[in-house]
mmCIF file of all heavy atoms in Angstrom:
data_model
loop_
_atom_site.group_PDB
_atom_site.id
_atom_site.type_symbol
_atom_site.label_atom_id
_atom_site.label_comp_id
_atom_site.label_asym_id
_atom_site.label_seq_id
_atom_site.Cartn_x
_atom_site.Cartn_y
_atom_site.Cartn_z
ATOM 1 N N THR N 252 27.828 127.353 93.642
ATOM 2 C CA THR N 252 27.907 126.435 94.784
ATOM 3 C C THR N 252 26.588 126.420 95.555
ATOM 4 O O THR N 252 25.703 127.237 95.325
ATOM 5 C CB THR N 252 29.045 126.844 95.719
ATOM 6 O OG1 THR N 252 28.804 128.185 96.176
ATOM 7 C CG2 THR N 252 30.390 126.793 94.994
ATOM 8 N N GLU N 253 26.483 125.497 96.504
ATOM 9 C CA GLU N 253 25.307 125.386 97.377
ATOM 10 C C GLU N 253 24.003 125.216 96.586
ATOM 11 O O GLU N 253 22.939 125.684 96.988
ATOM 12 C CB GLU N 253 25.193 126.614 98.293
ATOM 13 C CG GLU N 253 26.438 126.922 99.102
ATOM 14 C CD GLU N 253 26.769 125.817 100.101
ATOM 15 O OE1 GLU N 253 25.840 125.189 100.610
ATOM 16 O OE2 GLU N 253 27.963 125.586 100.364
ATOM 17 N N ALA N 254 24.077 124.541 95.442
ATOM 18 C CA ALA N 254 22.894 124.383 94.587
ATOM 19 C C ALA N 254 21.949 123.329 95.145
ATOM 20 O O ALA N 254 22.380 122.280 95.634
ATOM 21 C CB ALA N 254 23.324 124.000 93.176
ATOM 22 N N ILE N 255 20.653 123.615 95.088
ATOM 23 C CA ILE N 255 19.618 122.650 95.465
ATOM 24 C C ILE N 255 19.026 122.015 94.222
ATOM 25 O O ILE N 255 18.945 120.790 94.097
ATOM 26 C CB ILE N 255 18.508 123.339 96.290
ATOM 27 C CG1 ILE N 255 19.089 123.937 97.562
ATOM 28 C CG2 ILE N 255 17.395 122.337 96.611
ATOM 29 C CD1 ILE N 255 18.080 124.763 98.346
ATOM 30 N N ASN N 256 18.601 122.840 93.274
ATOM 31 C CA ASN N 256 18.095 122.361 91.994
ATOM 32 C C ASN N 256 18.231 123.469 90.958
ATOM 33 O O ASN N 256 18.607 124.605 91.279
ATOM 34 C CB ASN N 256 16.642 121.880 92.094
ATOM 35 C CG ASN N 256 15.726 122.922 92.706
ATOM 36 O OD1 ASN N 256 15.708 124.076 92.278
ATOM 37 N ND2 ASN N 256 14.964 122.527 93.729
ATOM 38 N N GLU N 257 17.920 123.124 89.711
ATOM 39 C CA GLU N 257 18.124 124.048 88.601
ATOM 40 C C GLU N 257 16.889 124.089 87.710
ATOM 41 O O GLU N 257 16.301 123.060 87.387
ATOM 42 C CB GLU N 257 19.339 123.599 87.781
ATOM 43 C CG GLU N 257 19.549 124.368 86.483
ATOM 44 C CD GLU N 257 20.472 123.625 85.527
ATOM 45 O OE1 GLU N 257 20.235 122.416 85.285
ATOM 46 O OE2 GLU N 257 21.406 124.247 85.009
ATOM 47 N N TRP N 258 16.512 125.301 87.311
ATOM 48 C CA TRP N 258 15.483 125.516 86.310
ATOM 49 C C TRP N 258 16.118 126.183 85.092
ATOM 50 O O TRP N 258 16.939 127.087 85.239
ATOM 51 C CB TRP N 258 14.373 126.426 86.839
ATOM 52 C CG TRP N 258 13.393 125.759 87.740
ATOM 53 C CD1 TRP N 258 13.396 125.733 89.110
ATOM 54 C CD2 TRP N 258 12.232 125.029 87.336
ATOM 55 N NE1 TRP N 258 12.315 125.028 89.585
ATOM 56 C CE2 TRP N 258 11.574 124.586 88.520
ATOM 57 C CE3 TRP N 258 11.669 124.703 86.099
ATOM 58 C CZ2 TRP N 258 10.406 123.839 88.485
ATOM 59 C CZ3 TRP N 258 10.496 123.960 86.063
ATOM 60 C CH2 TRP N 258 9.867 123.535 87.241
ATOM 61 N N LYS N 259 15.717 125.728 83.908
ATOM 62 C CA LYS N 259 16.100 126.421 82.679
ATOM 63 C C LYS N 259 14.835 126.739 81.887
ATOM 64 O O LYS N 259 13.901 125.938 81.844
ATOM 65 C CB LYS N 259 17.036 125.560 81.818
ATOM 66 C CG LYS N 259 18.438 125.401 82.370
ATOM 67 C CD LYS N 259 19.294 124.601 81.401
ATOM 68 C CE LYS N 259 20.718 124.418 81.911
ATOM 69 N NZ LYS N 259 21.547 123.630 80.955
ATOM 70 N N PHE N 260 14.847 127.915 81.267
ATOM 71 C CA PHE N 260 13.715 128.349 80.460
ATOM 72 C C PHE N 260 14.216 128.816 79.098
ATOM 73 O O PHE N 260 15.303 129.391 78.991
ATOM 74 C CB PHE N 260 12.956 129.487 81.142
ATOM 75 C CG PHE N 260 12.464 129.146 82.527
ATOM 76 C CD1 PHE N 260 13.213 129.483 83.644
ATOM 77 C CD2 PHE N 260 11.268 128.469 82.700
ATOM 78 C CE1 PHE N 260 12.778 129.174 84.922
ATOM 79 C CE2 PHE N 260 10.828 128.147 83.978
ATOM 80 C CZ PHE N 260 11.576 128.497 85.088
ATOM 81 N N GLY N 261 13.415 128.591 78.071
ATOM 82 C CA GLY N 261 13.800 129.015 76.739
ATOM 83 C C GLY N 261 12.611 129.489 75.922
ATOM 84 O O GLY N 261 11.479 129.043 76.132
ATOM 85 N N ALA N 262 12.865 130.417 74.995
ATOM 86 C CA ALA N 262 11.862 130.877 74.039
ATOM 87 C C ALA N 262 12.547 130.987 72.679
ATOM 88 O O ALA N 262 13.715 131.402 72.600
ATOM 89 C CB ALA N 262 11.282 132.223 74.461
ATOM 90 N N GLU N 263 11.856 130.612 71.622
ATOM 91 C CA GLU N 263 12.491 130.561 70.306
ATOM 92 C C GLU N 263 11.532 130.957 69.196
ATOM 93 O O GLU N 263 10.304 130.838 69.329
ATOM 94 C CB GLU N 263 13.012 129.147 70.024
ATOM 95 C CG GLU N 263 11.911 128.091 69.967
ATOM 96 C CD GLU N 263 12.458 126.679 69.875
ATOM 97 O OE1 GLU N 263 12.955 126.181 70.911
ATOM 98 O OE2 GLU N 263 12.375 126.085 68.785
ATOM 99 N N VAL N 264 12.097 131.432 68.087
ATOM 100 C CA VAL N 264 11.359 131.748 66.867
ATOM 101 C C VAL N 264 12.169 131.245 65.685
ATOM 102 O O VAL N 264 13.385 131.477 65.612
ATOM 103 C CB VAL N 264 11.128 133.269 66.712
ATOM 104 C CG1 VAL N 264 10.428 133.573 65.389
ATOM 105 C CG2 VAL N 264 10.318 133.818 67.865
ATOM 106 N N VAL N 265 11.516 130.554 64.771
ATOM 107 C CA VAL N 265 12.145 130.111 63.528
ATOM 108 C C VAL N 265 11.225 130.490 62.374
ATOM 109 O O VAL N 265 10.015 130.232 62.421
ATOM 110 C CB VAL N 265 12.408 128.590 63.516
ATOM 111 C CG1 VAL N 265 12.865 128.139 62.120
ATOM 112 C CG2 VAL N 265 13.454 128.216 64.549
ATOM 113 N N MET N 266 11.793 131.120 61.339
ATOM 114 C CA MET N 266 11.036 131.470 60.138
ATOM 115 C C MET N 266 11.767 130.948 58.907
ATOM 116 O O MET N 266 12.960 131.211 58.737
ATOM 117 C CB MET N 266 10.857 132.986 60.041
ATOM 118 C CG MET N 266 9.975 133.571 61.123
ATOM 119 S SD MET N 266 9.541 135.316 60.841
ATOM 120 C CE MET N 266 11.129 136.084 61.144
ATOM 121 N N VAL N 267 11.060 130.213 58.080
ATOM 122 C CA VAL N 267 11.580 129.729 56.806
ATOM 123 C C VAL N 267 10.646 130.240 55.718
ATOM 124 O O VAL N 267 9.496 129.790 55.612
ATOM 125 C CB VAL N 267 11.646 128.186 56.776
ATOM 126 C CG1 VAL N 267 12.054 127.698 55.394
ATOM 127 C CG2 VAL N 267 12.621 127.679 57.825
ATOM 128 N N LEU N 268 11.111 131.198 54.942
ATOM 129 C CA LEU N 268 10.291 131.849 53.911
ATOM 130 C C LEU N 268 11.065 131.852 52.600
ATOM 131 O O LEU N 268 11.837 132.772 52.320
ATOM 132 C CB LEU N 268 9.926 133.272 54.336
ATOM 133 C CG LEU N 268 9.164 133.404 55.670
ATOM 134 C CD1 LEU N 268 9.030 134.864 56.062
ATOM 135 C CD2 LEU N 268 7.799 132.739 55.576
ATOM 136 N N ASP N 269 10.904 130.775 51.833
ATOM 137 C CA ASP N 269 11.572 130.603 50.550
ATOM 138 C C ASP N 269 13.092 130.680 50.723
ATOM 139 O O ASP N 269 13.689 129.810 51.348
ATOM 140 C CB ASP N 269 11.067 131.640 49.559
ATOM 141 C CG ASP N 269 11.443 131.297 48.119
ATOM 142 O OD1 ASP N 269 11.905 130.164 47.882
ATOM 143 O OD2 ASP N 269 11.282 132.149 47.236
ATOM 144 N N ARG N 270 13.708 131.748 50.241
ATOM 145 C CA ARG N 270 15.161 131.888 50.319
ATOM 146 C C ARG N 270 15.634 132.531 51.617
ATOM 147 O O ARG N 270 16.841 132.624 51.861
ATOM 148 C CB ARG N 270 15.682 132.707 49.134
ATOM 149 C CG ARG N 270 15.515 131.997 47.795
ATOM 150 C CD ARG N 270 15.978 132.895 46.653
ATOM 151 N NE ARG N 270 15.879 132.223 45.372
ATOM 152 C CZ ARG N 270 16.860 131.526 44.801
ATOM 153 N NH1 ARG N 270 18.021 131.427 45.420
ATOM 154 N NH2 ARG N 270 16.693 130.947 43.636
ATOM 155 N N TRP N 271 14.704 132.962 52.472
ATOM 156 C CA TRP N 271 15.060 133.606 53.729
ATOM 157 C C TRP N 271 14.909 132.644 54.896
ATOM 158 O O TRP N 271 14.014 131.805 54.920
ATOM 159 C CB TRP N 271 14.187 134.832 53.982
ATOM 160 C CG TRP N 271 14.521 136.001 53.116
ATOM 161 C CD1 TRP N 271 13.903 136.366 51.952
ATOM 162 C CD2 TRP N 271 15.568 136.955 53.329
ATOM 163 N NE1 TRP N 271 14.490 137.492 51.426
ATOM 164 C CE2 TRP N 271 15.513 137.881 52.249
ATOM 165 C CE3 TRP N 271 16.531 137.129 54.315
ATOM 166 C CZ2 TRP N 271 16.402 138.954 52.146
ATOM 167 C CZ3 TRP N 271 17.415 138.189 54.211
ATOM 168 C CH2 TRP N 271 17.343 139.087 53.145
ATOM 169 N N TYR N 272 15.811 132.816 55.862
ATOM 170 C CA TYR N 272 15.779 131.994 57.075
ATOM 171 C C TYR N 272 16.110 132.883 58.259
ATOM 172 O O TYR N 272 17.008 133.726 58.200
ATOM 173 C CB TYR N 272 16.792 130.852 56.946
ATOM 174 C CG TYR N 272 17.421 130.379 58.235
ATOM 175 C CD1 TYR N 272 16.779 129.459 59.054
ATOM 176 C CD2 TYR N 272 18.671 130.852 58.639
ATOM 177 C CE1 TYR N 272 17.366 129.018 60.232
ATOM 178 C CE2 TYR N 272 19.270 130.416 59.804
ATOM 179 C CZ TYR N 272 18.604 129.502 60.597
ATOM 180 O OH TYR N 272 19.172 129.077 61.772
ATOM 181 N N PHE N 273 15.369 132.709 59.355
ATOM 182 C CA PHE N 273 15.627 133.474 60.566
ATOM 183 C C PHE N 273 15.454 132.563 61.772
ATOM 184 O O PHE N 273 14.534 131.744 61.826
ATOM 185 C CB PHE N 273 14.664 134.657 60.685
ATOM 186 C CG PHE N 273 14.803 135.420 61.981
ATOM 187 C CD1 PHE N 273 15.822 136.346 62.149
ATOM 188 C CD2 PHE N 273 13.918 135.199 63.027
ATOM 189 C CE1 PHE N 273 15.956 137.046 63.344
ATOM 190 C CE2 PHE N 273 14.046 135.891 64.230
ATOM 191 C CZ PHE N 273 15.075 136.826 64.390
ATOM 192 N N GLN N 274 16.350 132.715 62.745
ATOM 193 C CA GLN N 274 16.280 131.923 63.975
ATOM 194 C C GLN N 274 16.750 132.776 65.141
ATOM 195 O O GLN N 274 17.776 133.453 65.064
ATOM 196 C CB GLN N 274 17.169 130.677 63.860
ATOM 197 C CG GLN N 274 17.257 129.831 65.120
ATOM 198 C CD GLN N 274 18.131 128.604 64.926
ATOM 199 O OE1 GLN N 274 18.015 127.898 63.936
ATOM 200 N NE2 GLN N 274 19.027 128.359 65.861
ATOM 201 N N SER N 275 15.985 132.752 66.228
ATOM 202 C CA SER N 275 16.365 133.493 67.418
ATOM 203 C C SER N 275 15.928 132.707 68.645
ATOM 204 O O SER N 275 14.924 131.993 68.615
ATOM 205 C CB SER N 275 15.716 134.878 67.430
ATOM 206 O OG SER N 275 16.146 135.629 68.556
ATOM 207 N N GLU N 276 16.708 132.861 69.722
ATOM 208 C CA GLU N 276 16.431 132.088 70.929
ATOM 209 C C GLU N 276 16.907 132.845 72.163
ATOM 210 O O GLU N 276 17.955 133.497 72.135
ATOM 211 C CB GLU N 276 17.147 130.740 70.829
ATOM 212 C CG GLU N 276 16.818 129.760 71.925
ATOM 213 C CD GLU N 276 17.433 128.387 71.672
ATOM 214 O OE1 GLU N 276 18.363 128.284 70.846
ATOM 215 O OE2 GLU N 276 16.987 127.419 72.311
ATOM 216 N N TYR N 277 16.108 132.770 73.213
ATOM 217 C CA TYR N 277 16.482 133.299 74.522
ATOM 218 C C TYR N 277 16.530 132.134 75.509
ATOM 219 O O TYR N 277 15.612 131.303 75.550
ATOM 220 C CB TYR N 277 15.474 134.333 75.010
ATOM 221 C CG TYR N 277 15.682 134.739 76.455
ATOM 222 C CD1 TYR N 277 16.650 135.679 76.799
ATOM 223 C CD2 TYR N 277 14.933 134.159 77.479
ATOM 224 C CE1 TYR N 277 16.849 136.041 78.125
ATOM 225 C CE2 TYR N 277 15.124 134.523 78.810
ATOM 226 C CZ TYR N 277 16.090 135.457 79.129
ATOM 227 O OH TYR N 277 16.295 135.810 80.436
ATOM 228 N N LEU N 278 17.607 132.051 76.309
ATOM 229 C CA LEU N 278 17.755 130.994 77.295
ATOM 230 C C LEU N 278 18.128 131.596 78.648
ATOM 231 O O LEU N 278 18.931 132.534 78.719
ATOM 232 C CB LEU N 278 18.847 129.990 76.876
ATOM 233 C CG LEU N 278 18.562 129.142 75.637
ATOM 234 C CD1 LEU N 278 19.799 128.345 75.245
ATOM 235 C CD2 LEU N 278 17.386 128.216 75.861
#
Side-chain angles (χ1 to χ4, degrees):
T252 59
E253 306 296 327
I255 300 174
N256 53 51
E257 172 198 50
W258 282 96
K259 288 183 180 180
F260 303 95
E263 63 188 74
V264 177
V265 171
M266 293 190 289
V267 174
L268 302 172
D269 195 11
R270 293 177 178 268
W271 287 97
Y272 149 83
F273 175 80
Q274 176 179 314
S275 183
E276 187 173 18
Y277 170 81
L278 293 172

